Amino acid sequence: MGLVSALLTAPLAPVRVAIWVGELIRDEVDRELYDPGVIRRQLGEVDEDRAAGRIDPAEADRRQRELIGRLIRPDR
């Protein structure tokens, strides 16, 4: 039965590969988006930008709230 099922499901192989690659990409994006080390670095960059006057305090606060929200998101 293994040979028959392999022959019958062979046309679906590209779809399975595409799904697998998509899942790998999604996992890596999630890892980058919610990694505490990355978020800490980005918070530091916001502080540096605010101190250097590259962004105004309101924008810095907005960015910090967004980053902290990612850090403490309830579904993780």
Side-chain angles (χ1 to χ4, degrees):
M1 189 67 180
L3 180 59
V4 173
S5 66
L7 289 173
L8 292 175
T9 59
L12 297 177
V15 173
R16 285 187 293 214
V17 169
I19 290 170
W20 176 71
V21 169
E23 289 171 349
L24 285 177
I25 292 170
R26 181 201 60 214
D27 292 346
E28 185 60 29
V29 167
D30 279 349
R31 201 172 1 267
E32 279 289 315
L33 193 60
Y34 298 108
D35 179 77
V38 172
I39 293 172
R40 276 191 230 102
R41 181 181 48 79
Q42 291 172 338
L43 283 168
E45 290 171 359
V46 170
D47 286 339
E48 290 173 8
D49 288 346
R50 182 195 316 225
R54 290 187 288 267
I55 59 173
D56 61 57
E59 175 66 14
D61 289 342
R62 186 194 65 75
R63 288 184 187 177
Q64 286 176 333
R65 280 192 306 276
E66 186 264 328
L67 289 166
I68 292 169
R70 285 185 0 215
L71 190 61
I72 60 172
R73 72 184 191 148
D75 62 331
R76 286 271 170 155

